[in-house]
Amino acid sequence: MRILVADDDALFHIVANAVLVGDGYEVIHARDGLEALNLYQEHKPDLVLTDYQMPGLNGIELCRSVKALDPQRFIPMVMLTGEEKSQVLRESLDAGFVEFLTKPVTPDELRLRVRSLFELILLHKDLALAKSESDEEMLITKHILHRLVEPGLRTLPSHIHMETLHTQRINGDACAYQQGLPGIHFGLLCDATGHGLAAGVSTIPAIQAFLGMVSRDIPLEMIYREINVKLRKILPSGRFVCLMLTRLDLHRGTLSVLNAGLPDALFLTPKGTARRFASRNLPAGVLDQVEKPVVEEVALSGGERLLAFTDGLQDFLGAEAAYRILAEGVAKVPFRVHKFIIQECLNLAIHNHEQHDDVSWALWEVPRPEFVKLPIQSNLHCSLQALQCPSPTLRSTPFAFELCFDPRSHPLRQVLPDCLRLLGNHGVPSAATQTLAMALTEATTNALDHGLLGMESTLKQEGFEVYDTVRKERLAAHEVGTLTLRLQLHRCSSGSICSLGVEVEDTGPGFDWRAWEQRQAAEDTMVSGRGLVILRSIASEMSFNESGNCLRFSLPCG
Amino acid sequence: MMLTLHREPSASLIRLEGNFTFESHTAFRSATQELLDDPGTEQITLDLSGLHYMDSSSLGMLLVLREKTEEKGIKVVLIKPSPAVMGILKIVQFGKLFEIRED
């Protein structure tokens, strides 16, 4: 520890040297204010003892100069003075002195005062170190959360807005968005218990489970159960995550909400009818086994809006005020204006430091039917278009096509929308699209996962995230083979399309469908083998070939 | 937060006043631990009538208490929450975990 002593009184230097060097401090001596300032810059002492009256700079000027040089540094300064005028004391405090010593100073008084100041310095250093570590942890947590949710949020369609506004600390809020099958949108808002790194880290497994499962259109209640199991496994007692899962299905025209511990979400129609989605489930991570989750569903006709938020918004805006903003606007205020109003209110509150908790919020609008289009983009688009019938007069003729592809270069999420679009162009009614999408997804995913990648369904019992990780590793590791999708439209005698014949073949060693059938008879089918169960419920004439690498079924389209 | 412990032979009462947040952690833990360590405790009643606010950390403290009392077969009852506090308890569905008496 280094102490700078600035005084034009040689006697005080002698006393200070004897006491402080004896106590193990390093002492630097300055005879006037300017010399003191130079020595300060050169040696950066931990403590400065300075006389009030000195040649060059007086004590107050020296203090102000030091503080101006190092505004961020904690450097306690002690004024040595024979003056006891209140004006000097006031000026000294104003300049930043923390202590006063009245001359003549006794050795004991000097020793005790310096010792107590060094305890303060050490405490301050500990605090500064803890703050810097905490700031670093905050930055890392923010970075991880951002990297996790940013790819999904970047693809938000224009009728959906979701964001998390962090205060200076992290308080465990996050939001995520992912499109599932075409026309199906999933959202997650979550708010973990507590503050800081622990709260931020708690949301990560929830987001990972959500992102991994919605791409396969897993029902909301299963996503909630999965998040609950994951959090229960890793979080200590008393830590939990409040969350809301949302699924907007533009094909069936439904909105589903699972609220587990978040404030009411408000749903309003253009005619002003209001409905609230209140919390009906325990937050995730509270109990090992959750009771049957409550998912509420509402039928849509277009133009409805949903406002949902974590309790951060409630703290600052008040839930009822937020509802009023929405209620007054649905019929008259465009979506983007609505979004802007809420955003501005939040930014203002955060700017004015009224907001102490994070805020995550979501504003969803259901597009009117005429604006609902399947978002289809793919490299295969052009070649498939070429297969269209040349003339409307030929549309009553049989229509079939075969598509052979490597799922690594042409992922299912790109190929299937193209197939659906092609079928739509050839007379398959749009009402059947959702069922077709689900059936083709389940059949091709089954062929890829179990036929080509050799994935074991039992792996899902370790969690969908584990399953997904292994799946990605196998997809990336080596050549996996190809999938062949054969589709044929069947027409009734009247000429209208009545069914679609589907064949999905893979080049793998074959799926053990007999073992699967035995498992279905014996076990709970909710986690493994669920895809084929769904398929069997919507398809007819479903069968595998002997070797198990070709699945055939028929789907009604009329 | 102010915390007052009223000891009774088998059913003790803890009265909580003010804002129940993370800062109340040590006081709440030591008061409840005293009751948990007493083999005669059969019920712990938390009087919430003086509470204005509960944050998520305090809800977590209730969950920890619930786990510890379950192990020992002790019942936890929450009584007289203010409308604001009851609103919070409803949102997190704690009625499924604790007996809550509103009157």
Side-chain angles (χ1 to χ4, degrees):
Chain A
M1 292 288 190
R2 192 175 288 161
I3 303 174
L4 171 63
V5 177
D7 198 334
D8 56 350
D9 174 3
L11 184 60
F12 183 71
H13 282 285
I14 293 166
V15 174
N17 209 49
V19 172
L20 301 177
V21 172
D23 282 359
Y25 300 110
E26 179 187 345
V27 180
I28 301 154
H29 301 275
R31 265 68 187 177
D32 62 54
L34 280 175
E35 187 188 9
L37 189 59
N38 289 333
L39 288 172
Y40 171 82
Q41 286 178 272
E42 190 180 334
H43 297 283
K44 298 286 180 190
D46 302 292
L47 176 67
V48 177
L49 308 177
T50 175
D51 192 18
Y52 173 59
Q53 284 190 332
M54 290 182 296
L57 297 172
N58 69 24
I60 287 172
E61 288 163 339
L62 173 64
C63 180
R64 289 200 169 117
S65 304
V66 164
K67 301 277 178 192
L69 273 174
D70 274 333
Q72 300 299 326
R73 189 165 179 246
F74 177 66
I75 167 78
M77 299 198 59
V78 180
M79 174 69 92
L80 307 161
T81 175
E83 307 269 351
E84 290 182 355
K85 289 176 189 167
S86 59
Q87 176 63 23
V88 173
L89 296 179
R90 243 195 327 272
E91 265 189 76
S92 305
L93 285 170
D94 185 52
F97 281 92
V98 294
E99 272 286 4
F100 299 91
L101 281 172
T102 308
K103 285 183 173 177
V105 183
T106 68
D108 276 351
E109 193 182 0
L110 181 62
R111 178 176 293 118
L112 290 173
R113 204 58 68 86
V114 166
R115 191 180 297 162
S116 74
L117 280 169
F118 266 101
E119 281 170 10
L120 182 69
I121 291 168
L122 289 175
L123 193 63
H124 197 276
K125 280 189 174 165
D126 285 349
L127 272 176
L129 181 65
K131 185 177 181 312
S132 125
E133 284 174 354
S134 163
D135 288 350
E136 177 72 7
E137 286 171 354
M138 286 300 107
L139 283 175
I140 292 169
T141 312
K142 279 185 185 180
H143 176 84
I144 293 171
L145 283 172
H146 178 75
R147 291 293 291 268
L148 207 53
V149 300
E150 200 268 338
L153 293 177
R154 216 185 315 133
T155 64
L156 275 173
S158 59
H159 59 93
I160 294 179
H161 182 78
M162 297 183 81
E163 68 178 323
T164 298
L165 299 167
H166 292 295
T167 44
Q168 284 190 339
R169 294 197 297 170
I170 283 185
N171 293 304
D173 266 44
C175 67
Y177 164 83
Q178 181 97 353
Q179 188 181 318
L181 296 170
I184 299 182
H185 305 269
F186 287 91
L188 167 73
L189 286 183
C190 54
D191 184 1
T193 350
H195 306 285
L197 181 65
V201 165
S202 303
T203 59
I204 292 173
I207 297 168
Q208 283 178 323
F210 167 80
L211 294 174
M213 293 174 86
V214 297
S215 57
R216 299 195 56 209
D217 203 16
I218 307 277
L220 297 188
E221 54 266 38
M222 286 182 69
I223 301 176
Y224 168 68
R225 280 184 194 277
E226 172 76 3
I227 292 174
N228 185 66
V229 168
K230 272 174 162 301
L231 293 177
R232 192 66 191 151
K233 266 188 198 164
I234 62 168
L235 294 185
S237 293
R239 295 272 177 185
F240 56 86
V241 176
C242 298
L243 60 90
M244 187 181 296
L245 290 161
T246 319
R247 179 182 185 274
L248 173 63
D249 184 333
L250 294 177
H251 299 288
R252 285 175 55 226
T254 53
L255 175 74
S256 311
V257 176
L258 186 155
N259 187 350
L262 287 189
D264 295 2
L266 183 68
F267 174 81
L268 270 169
T269 68
K271 288 179 183 166
T273 315
R275 172 182 174 153
R276 293 185 182 204
F277 291 102
S279 166
R280 302 210 188 284
N281 302 281
L282 277 169
V286 172
L287 293 180
D288 291 335
Q289 293 288 329
V290 291
E291 57 187 30
K292 184 173 168 46
V294 180
V295 180
E296 294 183 87
E297 190 174 279
V298 63
L300 307 167
S301 52
E304 297 92 342
R305 283 182 201 164
L306 177 83
L307 175 64
F309 46 85
T310 59
D311 62 352
L313 183 58
Q314 201 173 13
D315 286 350
F316 116 88
L317 193 59
E320 296 308 317
Y323 296 149
R324 275 199 300 280
I325 290 177
L326 186 66
E328 285 165 11
V330 167
K332 301 173 281 190
V333 182
F335 177 78
R336 64 178 191 286
V337 176
H338 226 145
K339 180 183 105 181
F340 178 74
I341 293 171
I342 296 176
Q343 227 165 13
E344 281 302 291
C345 288
L346 288 170
N347 285 332
L348 197 65
I350 286 173
H351 181 71
N352 293 337
H353 305 291
E354 293 164 17
Q355 179 60 17
H356 302 297
D357 201 357
D358 293 352
V359 184
S360 284
W361 66 289
L363 184 64
W364 290 40
E365 183 176 61
V366 180
R368 292 180 188 278
E370 62 264 36
F371 299 123
V372 178
K373 289 178 183 168
L374 291 182
I376 294 171
Q377 291 292 329
S378 145
N379 297 334
L380 289 175
H381 182 73
C382 294
S383 59
L384 286 170
Q385 284 288 321
L387 288 171
Q388 282 189 29
C389 288
S391 152
T393 56
L394 295 175
R395 289 202 174 191
S396 61
T397 57
F399 177 76
F401 66 91
E402 180 180 296
L403 190 65
C404 181
F405 60 99
D406 182 336
R408 294 176 309 155
S409 55
H410 295 87
L412 296 178
R413 66 174 184 279
Q414 288 181 1
V415 172
L416 294 183
D418 281 326
C419 291
L420 291 170
R421 181 173 172 138
L422 185 63
L423 294 169
N425 286 343
H426 287 268
V428 172
S430 60
T433 308
Q434 172 62 16
T435 314
L436 289 182
M438 191 184 289
L440 294 180
T441 303
E442 295 300 348
T444 49
T445 304
N446 190 67
L448 172 60
D449 285 16
H450 307 301
L452 295 184
L453 300 179
M455 301 291 296
E456 288 294 330
S457 285
T458 47
L459 197 57
K460 286 179 189 165
Q461 284 158 8
E462 291 176 35
F464 278 83
E465 191 200 334
V466 175
Y467 183 89
D468 202 42
T469 308
V470 175
R471 188 176 185 272
K472 281 179 182 156
E473 282 169 4
R474 291 194 187 176
L475 257 179
H478 46 75
E479 286 203 3
V480 295
T482 56
L483 291 177
T484 303
L485 182 60
R486 298 184 192 94
L487 297 169
Q488 179 163 18
L489 288 178
H490 299 292
R491 293 175 188 274
C492 309
S493 51
S494 64
S496 62
I497 293 165
C498 57
S499 69
L500 175 73
V502 182
E503 219 173 89
V504 181
E505 188 171 349
D506 63 73
T507 54
F511 171 65
D512 188 356
W513 56 275
R514 289 187 185 84
W516 173 76
E517 287 207 321
Q518 280 168 7
R519 275 208 312 276
Q520 296 315 298
E523 291 175 13
D524 176 5
T525 59
M526 285 304 282
V527 174
S528 63
R530 180 185 146 272
L532 288 178
V533 173
I534 292 174
L535 196 54
R536 182 172 269 174
S537 70
I538 54 178
S540 57
E541 299 161 34
M542 186 175 120
S543 64
F544 276 97
N545 66 350
E546 189 57 29
S547 55
N549 65 348
C550 184
L551 170 67
R552 297 185 191 94
F553 58 92
S554 174
L555 288 167
C557 296
Chain B
M1 184 186 72
M2 281 271 294
L3 188 150
T4 326
L5 175 59
H6 301 277
R7 296 292 305 262
E8 296 290 337
S10 62
S12 294
L13 184 139
I14 300 174
R15 184 171 153 73
L16 308 170
E17 290 171 272
N19 292 334
F20 190 7
T21 60
F22 182 72
E23 283 73 25
S24 324
H25 177 250
T26 312
F28 184 76
R29 195 174 54 178
S30 71
T32 51
Q33 195 59 48
E34 190 181 328
L35 299 179
L36 288 165
D37 291 342
D38 179 350
T41 304
E42 291 171 9
Q43 179 173 315
I44 299 174
T45 304
L46 299 177
D47 180 351
L48 311 181
S49 58
L51 271 190
H52 306 305
Y53 177 72
M54 291 181 76
D55 73 355
S56 59
S57 300
S58 66
L59 296 169
M61 287 179 231
L62 292 185
L63 291 178
V64 173
L65 175 65
R66 182 178 173 274
E67 276 198 7
K68 289 182 177 170
T69 51
E70 268 191 344
E71 285 169 14
K72 293 173 182 265
I74 300 170
K75 186 176 178 187
V76 179
V77 182
L78 313 181
I79 62 166
K80 302 177 193 167
S82 66
V85 168
M86 190 60 211
I88 294 165
L89 294 172
K90 265 189 185 157
I91 286 178
V92 290
Q93 296 283 296
F94 269 26
K96 293 177 180 174
L97 306 176
F98 297 94
E99 181 179 335
I100 304 175
R101 294 184 200 149
E102 291 189 61
D103 49 1

